[in-house]
mmCIF file of all heavy atoms in Angstrom:
data_model
loop_
_atom_site.group_PDB
_atom_site.id
_atom_site.type_symbol
_atom_site.label_atom_id
_atom_site.label_comp_id
_atom_site.label_asym_id
_atom_site.label_seq_id
_atom_site.Cartn_x
_atom_site.Cartn_y
_atom_site.Cartn_z
ATOM 1 N N SER I 128 12.242 -3.518 -6.774
ATOM 2 C CA SER I 128 13.574 -3.495 -7.374
ATOM 3 C C SER I 128 14.247 -4.854 -7.295
ATOM 4 O O SER I 128 14.319 -5.466 -6.218
ATOM 5 C CB SER I 128 14.430 -2.455 -6.640
ATOM 6 O OG SER I 128 15.801 -2.682 -6.834
ATOM 7 N N ASP I 129 14.753 -5.334 -8.431
ATOM 8 C CA ASP I 129 15.447 -6.621 -8.455
ATOM 9 C C ASP I 129 16.622 -6.630 -7.481
ATOM 10 O O ASP I 129 16.867 -7.629 -6.791
ATOM 11 C CB ASP I 129 15.953 -6.924 -9.868
ATOM 12 C CG ASP I 129 14.827 -7.124 -10.860
ATOM 13 O OD1 ASP I 129 14.038 -6.183 -11.067
ATOM 14 O OD2 ASP I 129 14.738 -8.215 -11.442
ATOM 15 N N GLY I 130 17.344 -5.515 -7.424
ATOM 16 C CA GLY I 130 18.505 -5.443 -6.541
ATOM 17 C C GLY I 130 18.122 -5.533 -5.077
ATOM 18 O O GLY I 130 18.818 -6.192 -4.285
ATOM 19 N N LEU I 131 17.019 -4.894 -4.696
ATOM 20 C CA LEU I 131 16.583 -4.936 -3.301
ATOM 21 C C LEU I 131 16.004 -6.297 -2.933
ATOM 22 O O LEU I 131 16.149 -6.749 -1.791
ATOM 23 C CB LEU I 131 15.559 -3.835 -3.039
ATOM 24 C CG LEU I 131 16.089 -2.400 -3.172
ATOM 25 C CD1 LEU I 131 14.961 -1.392 -2.988
ATOM 26 C CD2 LEU I 131 17.206 -2.133 -2.169
ATOM 27 N N ILE I 132 15.362 -6.950 -3.884
ATOM 28 C CA ILE I 132 14.840 -8.296 -3.635
ATOM 29 C C ILE I 132 15.968 -9.240 -3.247
ATOM 30 O O ILE I 132 15.810 -10.126 -2.398
ATOM 31 C CB ILE I 132 14.086 -8.820 -4.876
ATOM 32 C CG1 ILE I 132 12.748 -8.094 -5.024
ATOM 33 C CG2 ILE I 132 13.861 -10.331 -4.799
ATOM 34 C CD1 ILE I 132 12.027 -8.389 -6.328
ATOM 35 N N ALA I 133 17.120 -9.052 -3.863
ATOM 36 C CA ALA I 133 18.268 -9.942 -3.607
ATOM 37 C C ALA I 133 18.715 -9.899 -2.151
ATOM 38 O O ALA I 133 19.397 -10.826 -1.680
ATOM 39 C CB ALA I 133 19.430 -9.560 -4.525
ATOM 40 N N ASN I 134 18.329 -8.851 -1.407
ATOM 41 C CA ASN I 134 18.763 -8.717 -0.018
ATOM 42 C C ASN I 134 17.768 -9.280 0.993
ATOM 43 O O ASN I 134 18.017 -9.229 2.199
ATOM 44 C CB ASN I 134 19.007 -7.230 0.305
ATOM 45 C CG ASN I 134 20.123 -6.635 -0.525
ATOM 46 O OD1 ASN I 134 21.119 -7.303 -0.809
ATOM 47 N ND2 ASN I 134 19.970 -5.376 -0.924
ATOM 48 N N ILE I 135 16.654 -9.834 0.516
ATOM 49 C CA ILE I 135 15.664 -10.405 1.436
ATOM 50 C C ILE I 135 16.223 -11.689 2.040
ATOM 51 O O ILE I 135 16.736 -12.546 1.326
ATOM 52 C CB ILE I 135 14.348 -10.697 0.695
ATOM 53 C CG1 ILE I 135 13.721 -9.389 0.191
ATOM 54 C CG2 ILE I 135 13.360 -11.421 1.615
ATOM 55 C CD1 ILE I 135 12.504 -9.586 -0.684
ATOM 56 N N PRO I 136 16.146 -11.839 3.370
ATOM 57 C CA PRO I 136 16.681 -13.054 4.009
ATOM 58 C C PRO I 136 16.070 -14.323 3.440
ATOM 59 O O PRO I 136 14.854 -14.415 3.234
ATOM 60 C CB PRO I 136 16.305 -12.868 5.483
ATOM 61 C CG PRO I 136 16.176 -11.394 5.659
ATOM 62 C CD PRO I 136 15.626 -10.883 4.357
ATOM 63 N N ALA I 137 16.906 -15.324 3.194
ATOM 64 C CA ALA I 137 16.461 -16.578 2.580
ATOM 65 C C ALA I 137 15.434 -17.307 3.437
ATOM 66 O O ALA I 137 14.635 -18.103 2.916
ATOM 67 C CB ALA I 137 17.668 -17.477 2.330
ATOM 68 N N GLU I 138 15.414 -17.059 4.723
ATOM 69 C CA GLU I 138 14.491 -17.765 5.622
ATOM 70 C C GLU I 138 13.023 -17.478 5.298
ATOM 71 O O GLU I 138 12.128 -18.203 5.731
ATOM 72 C CB GLU I 138 14.774 -17.376 7.072
ATOM 73 C CG GLU I 138 14.473 -15.914 7.387
ATOM 74 C CD GLU I 138 15.150 -15.436 8.648
ATOM 75 O OE1 GLU I 138 16.347 -15.135 8.598
ATOM 76 O OE2 GLU I 138 14.445 -15.353 9.671
ATOM 77 N N TYR I 139 12.764 -16.407 4.519
ATOM 78 C CA TYR I 139 11.386 -16.058 4.173
ATOM 79 C C TYR I 139 10.976 -16.585 2.801
ATOM 80 O O TYR I 139 9.866 -16.306 2.355
ATOM 81 C CB TYR I 139 11.206 -14.538 4.216
ATOM 82 C CG TYR I 139 11.278 -13.973 5.614
ATOM 83 C CD1 TYR I 139 12.475 -13.493 6.119
ATOM 84 C CD2 TYR I 139 10.161 -13.954 6.435
ATOM 85 C CE1 TYR I 139 12.562 -12.996 7.413
ATOM 86 C CE2 TYR I 139 10.232 -13.451 7.731
ATOM 87 C CZ TYR I 139 11.434 -12.982 8.215
ATOM 88 O OH TYR I 139 11.511 -12.489 9.491
ATOM 89 N N SER I 140 11.840 -17.324 2.151
ATOM 90 C CA SER I 140 11.588 -17.719 0.760
ATOM 91 C C SER I 140 10.347 -18.600 0.590
ATOM 92 O O SER I 140 9.746 -18.614 -0.478
ATOM 93 C CB SER I 140 12.811 -18.432 0.181
ATOM 94 O OG SER I 140 13.108 -19.602 0.926
ATOM 95 N N SER I 141 9.951 -19.315 1.624
ATOM 96 C CA SER I 141 8.778 -20.187 1.490
ATOM 97 C C SER I 141 7.470 -19.421 1.621
ATOM 98 O O SER I 141 6.415 -19.926 1.235
ATOM 99 C CB SER I 141 8.829 -21.298 2.553
ATOM 100 O OG SER I 141 8.729 -20.747 3.857
ATOM 101 N N ARG I 142 7.531 -18.187 2.145
ATOM 102 C CA ARG I 142 6.298 -17.417 2.377
ATOM 103 C C ARG I 142 6.283 -16.085 1.653
ATOM 104 O O ARG I 142 5.320 -15.333 1.774
ATOM 105 C CB ARG I 142 6.102 -17.189 3.878
ATOM 106 C CG ARG I 142 5.948 -18.472 4.683
ATOM 107 C CD ARG I 142 5.708 -18.157 6.138
ATOM 108 N NE ARG I 142 4.466 -17.422 6.324
ATOM 109 C CZ ARG I 142 4.280 -16.550 7.306
ATOM 110 N NH1 ARG I 142 5.248 -16.272 8.159
ATOM 111 N NH2 ARG I 142 3.115 -15.930 7.432
ATOM 112 N N LEU I 143 7.326 -15.782 0.912
ATOM 113 C CA LEU I 143 7.394 -14.521 0.186
ATOM 114 C C LEU I 143 7.858 -14.792 -1.241
ATOM 115 O O LEU I 143 8.907 -15.415 -1.453
ATOM 116 C CB LEU I 143 8.348 -13.553 0.893
ATOM 117 C CG LEU I 143 8.404 -12.116 0.345
ATOM 118 C CD1 LEU I 143 8.751 -11.148 1.476
ATOM 119 C CD2 LEU I 143 9.445 -11.985 -0.753
ATOM 120 N N VAL I 144 7.058 -14.335 -2.208
ATOM 121 C CA VAL I 144 7.407 -14.517 -3.621
ATOM 122 C C VAL I 144 7.375 -13.159 -4.310
ATOM 123 O O VAL I 144 6.688 -12.240 -3.855
ATOM 124 C CB VAL I 144 6.456 -15.508 -4.333
ATOM 125 C CG1 VAL I 144 6.617 -16.909 -3.780
ATOM 126 C CG2 VAL I 144 5.013 -15.048 -4.227
ATOM 127 N N CYS I 145 8.125 -13.041 -5.391
ATOM 128 C CA CYS I 145 8.297 -11.736 -6.027
ATOM 129 C C CYS I 145 8.026 -11.799 -7.528
ATOM 130 O O CYS I 145 8.449 -12.742 -8.204
ATOM 131 C CB CYS I 145 9.728 -11.223 -5.818
ATOM 132 S SG CYS I 145 10.249 -11.175 -4.093
ATOM 133 N N PHE I 146 7.333 -10.771 -8.005
ATOM 134 C CA PHE I 146 7.234 -10.510 -9.432
ATOM 135 C C PHE I 146 7.946 -9.179 -9.628
ATOM 136 O O PHE I 146 7.350 -8.110 -9.470
ATOM 137 C CB PHE I 146 5.778 -10.436 -9.891
ATOM 138 C CG PHE I 146 5.622 -10.498 -11.383
ATOM 139 C CD1 PHE I 146 5.726 -11.697 -12.058
ATOM 140 C CD2 PHE I 146 5.384 -9.346 -12.126
ATOM 141 C CE1 PHE I 146 5.588 -11.759 -13.445
ATOM 142 C CE2 PHE I 146 5.249 -9.387 -13.503
ATOM 143 C CZ PHE I 146 5.354 -10.616 -14.163
ATOM 144 N N PRO I 147 9.242 -9.225 -9.938
ATOM 145 C CA PRO I 147 10.091 -8.032 -9.839
ATOM 146 C C PRO I 147 9.862 -7.019 -10.950
ATOM 147 O O PRO I 147 9.203 -7.284 -11.963
ATOM 148 C CB PRO I 147 11.501 -8.604 -9.903
ATOM 149 C CG PRO I 147 11.339 -9.838 -10.737
ATOM 150 C CD PRO I 147 10.010 -10.409 -10.359
ATOM 151 N N GLU I 148 10.449 -5.864 -10.733
ATOM 152 C CA GLU I 148 10.366 -4.754 -11.674
ATOM 153 C C GLU I 148 10.756 -5.177 -13.092
ATOM 154 O O GLU I 148 10.128 -4.772 -14.069
ATOM 155 C CB GLU I 148 11.288 -3.650 -11.167
ATOM 156 C CG GLU I 148 11.232 -2.350 -11.905
ATOM 157 C CD GLU I 148 12.101 -1.309 -11.214
ATOM 158 O OE1 GLU I 148 13.284 -1.578 -10.953
ATOM 159 O OE2 GLU I 148 11.585 -0.230 -10.924
#
Side-chain angles (χ1 to χ4, degrees):
S128 160
D129 295 61
L131 295 176
I132 287 171
N134 297 323
I135 296 174
E138 66 198 79
Y139 291 94
S140 60
S141 65
R142 299 182 63 210
L143 187 150
V144 294
C145 306
F146 194 78
E148 187 175 52

